[in-house]
């Protein structure tokens, strides 16, 4: 068995692993990159990229059927799902070269397309190779979780890893799971012509602000999505001739209903891809959420880091990239660096989008106290560009503490994922609200909601009787 000695050995060529590999190799470190499936990981092949490509197709279909408001005759579009799939695959193919083994070999990485596993504290085995490492980074991502539903093992259900490869047209779709993946897929397929029902044991998008998620729910309902919230899936059967037979009840087991869709998508959470890594042999502890890490992302084997989904925290591509930067600093520059999660942003790409960073009202009440924060709102209805584009659904909600510092923000509305960026910076730096009023924003843009929200924070004081009294006094003074 050939033996390789390397500075950094990376298991997993998804977003986090590729970022570590590119940074470390270009800084002169020797790097071995191990991947058992496809480079680019879940994000490129099954997650962010294909889902956003599908959402773009759904937006186009929706625009055709809702253009009357602009004086353009609307019509129900003909959707060719084979060409939609070609569009999705084309987007993946366009990005794929950036994540290819050849590109990383050009940086100087040794790429091994085999499954890797630990065989000691400082050694990994992959295919015919034995790799002795100075540091190792585990970034194997996550996979769709399989909920404990009777009959699920015996039916051909879809996940985010398989739904983009369906050859036939999806006529009726049931989605189990009302999180971001389930919500995005439900709305997109409804806009592309499917009859869609969504089942969740709790409420749709439970990790976001309820006032904002309700706006998303109403939009999805108008698109035809039928919600079964606070619902238990009791049993699933499948017959190739007739399709699925899904029995649901309320959470107490009452009010039984039977759904009979042609297709079933399970989007009920994620689980870390840590099976088969033989972590015990390297002294690495783990539990159900993933590998246990400290504030520096080190596992219980201090020479082994875990980043991204498998580290048991936020499951976002951008978090894996953030983690990668911290690992490169620590392994190559001996600069101990701790994670900082006070300004983690996320976005769900429904229409309207919902984006969030920092605290929401519930978190602010728990962390700061009931009377120690202010909620400042601004509606998209008050934005001229939103009016021009008939995109007035939405609002900005900002959490401000007693010292006038920004502690969090939720935006629901068109391009919320783009509009959240200044609030990420403000939350990270804990800027005071006055700083958010000082810059000039071009008119008319949706970005004006940022400055107008900040201005709304000062409105009660600025236009108060006390301020008017001060103005009356000042205008009597000579110049």
């Amino acid at each position: 068995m050939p033996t390789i000695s390397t500075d950094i050995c990376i298991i997993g060529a998804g977003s986090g692993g590729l970022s570590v590999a590119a940074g470390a190799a270009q800084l002169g470190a020797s790097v071995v990159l191990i991947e058992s499936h496809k480079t680019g990981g879940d994000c490129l092949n099954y997650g962010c990229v294909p889902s956003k490509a599908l959402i773009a197709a759904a937006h186009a279909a929706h625009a055709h059927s809702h253009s009357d408001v602009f004086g353009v005759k609307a019509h129900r579009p003909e959707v060719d799902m084979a060409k939609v799939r070609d569009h999705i695959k084309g987007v993946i193919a366009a990005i794929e070269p950036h994540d290819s083994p050849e590109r990383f070999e050009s940086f100087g990485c040794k790429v091994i397309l085999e499954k890797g596993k630990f065989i000691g504290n400082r050694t990994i085995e992959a295919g015919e190779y034995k790799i002795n490492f100075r540091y190792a980074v585990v970034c194997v991502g996550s996979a769709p979780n399989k909920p404990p539903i009777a009959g699920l093992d015996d039916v051909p259900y879809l996940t985010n890893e398989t739904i983009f490869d369906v050859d036939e047209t999806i006529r009726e779709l049931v989605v189990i799971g009302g999180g971001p993946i389930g919500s995005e897929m439900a709305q997109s397929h409804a806009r592309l012509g499917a009859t869609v029902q969504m089942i969740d044991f709790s409420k749709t998008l439970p990790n976001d602000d309820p006032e904002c998620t309700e706006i998303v729910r109403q939009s999805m309902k108008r698109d035809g999505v039928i919600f079964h919230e606070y619902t238990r899936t009791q049993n699933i059967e499948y017959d190739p001739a007739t399709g699925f037979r899904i029995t649901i009840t309320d959470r107490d087991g009452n009010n039984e209903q039977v759904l009979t869709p042609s297709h079933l998508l399970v989007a009920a959470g994620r689980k870390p891809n840590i099976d088969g890594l033989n972590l015990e042999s390297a002294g690495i502890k783990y539990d159900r959420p993933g590998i246990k890490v400290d504030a520096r992302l080190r596992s219980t084997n201090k020479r082994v880091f875990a980043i991204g989904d498998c580290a048991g925290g936020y499951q976002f591509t951008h978090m894996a990239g953030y983690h990668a930067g911290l690992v490169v600093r620590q392994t190559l520059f001996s600069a101990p660096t701790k994670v900082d999660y006070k300004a983690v942003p996320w976005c769900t790409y429904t229409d309207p989008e919902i984006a969030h960073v920092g605290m929401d009202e519930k978190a602010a009440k728990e962390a700061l106290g009931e009377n120690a924060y202010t909620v400042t709102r601004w509606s998209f209805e008050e934005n001229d560009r939103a009016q021009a584009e008939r995109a007035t659904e939405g609002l900005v909600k900002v959490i401000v503490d007693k010292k006038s510092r920004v502690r969090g923000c939720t935006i629901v509305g068109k391009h919320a994922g783009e509009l959240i960026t200044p609030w990420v910076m403000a939350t990270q730096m804990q800027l005071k609200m006055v700083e958010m009023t000082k810059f000039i924003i071009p008119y008319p843009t949706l970005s004006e909601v940022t400055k107008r929200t900040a201005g709304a924070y000062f409105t009660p004081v600025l236009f108060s009787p006390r301020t008017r009294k001060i103005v009356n006094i000042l205008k009597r003074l000579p110049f």
Side-chain angles (χ1 to χ4, degrees), residues 227-442:
F227 289 86
H228 300 280
E229 295 177 315
Y230 304 106
T231 296
R232 186 188 300 274
T233 305
Q234 297 286 8
N235 185 66
I236 302 175
E237 300 172 7
Y238 178 77
D239 185 314
T242 58
F244 286 88
R245 182 179 174 84
I246 303 170
T247 303
I248 61 173
T249 65
D250 61 25
R251 289 167 71 161
D252 296 323
N254 303 316
N255 301 316
E256 182 176 296
Q257 296 182 62
V258 176
L259 312 180
T260 56
S262 60
H263 293 77
L264 169 64
L265 170 66
V266 176
R270 311 278 298 174
K271 61 178 182 179
N273 287 324
I274 56 177
D275 292 345
L277 290 176
N278 198 24
L279 297 172
E280 296 87 350
S281 71
I284 299 171
K285 292 184 179 179
Y286 60 93
D287 52 19
R288 186 176 179 183
I291 295 172
K292 293 185 175 183
V293 296
D294 63 15
R296 292 172 53 185
L297 300 171
R298 299 177 302 178
S299 71
T300 46
N301 178 338
K302 301 308 180 187
R303 288 282 176 171
V304 179
F305 293 82
I307 67 174
D309 289 9
C310 71
Y314 294 100
Q315 295 183 335
F316 306 123
T317 297
H318 48 278
M319 287 309 296
Y322 167 67
H323 286 168
L326 301 184
V327 168
V328 169
R329 280 196 292 244
Q330 293 183 83
T331 54
L332 299 188
F333 297 101
S334 300
T337 309
K338 294 182 179 181
V339 293
D340 182 356
Y341 290 144
K342 70 172 171 287
V344 177
W346 64 76
C347 183
T348 300
Y349 297 90
T350 45
D351 184 11
E353 295 177 359
I354 182 166
H356 172 78
V357 65
M359 296 180 180
D360 59 10
E361 286 189 73
K362 181 181 176 182
K365 187 177 293 186
E366 292 173 355
L368 305 178
E370 191 161 0
N371 300 311
Y373 66 94
T374 301
V375 180
T376 299
R377 291 175 173 82
W378 190 262
S379 170
F380 274 51
E381 288 184 349
E382 303 295 325
N383 179 270
D384 293 356
R385 182 64 177 272
Q387 286 288 352
E389 297 190 4
R390 301 293 189 181
T392 55
E393 270 191 314
L395 59 95
V396 182
K397 289 180 69 173
V398 180
I399 304 297
V400 188
D401 67 18
K402 280 189 170 182
K403 295 182 178 180
S404 188
R405 297 176 301 187
V406 176
R407 302 301 292 271
C409 176
T410 301
I411 303 176
V412 57
K414 185 174 182 179
H415 298 313
E418 312 294 337
L419 298 174
I420 198 70
T421 298
W423 296 106
V424 175
M425 181 180 70
T427 304
Q428 178 66 44
M429 301 176 68
Q430 293 195 1
L431 296 180
K432 292 194 173 184
M433 281 292 270
V434 69
E435 301 299 328
M436 305 300 287
T437 68
K438 290 181 178 179
F439 45 85
I440 301 169
I441 298 175

Side-chain angles (χ1 to χ4, degrees), residues 10-23 33-46 48 98-101 103-104 111-113 137-142 273 307-310 316-322 324:
I10 302 162
I11 304 180
S15 175
L18 293 178
S19 296
V20 174
L33 178 61
I34 300 169
E35 173 55 54
S36 63
H37 191 36
K38 294 181 179 180
T39 55
D42 189 81
C43 181
L44 172 63
N45 297 292
Y46 316 113
C48 311
H98 298 284
D99 295 348
S100 68
R103 180 167 183 256
F104 282 81
V111 180
I112 302 174
L113 299 178
V137 185
V138 181
C139 33
V140 290
S142 62
N273 287 324
I307 67 174
D309 289 9
C310 71
F316 306 123
T317 297
H318 48 278
M319 287 309 296
Y322 167 67

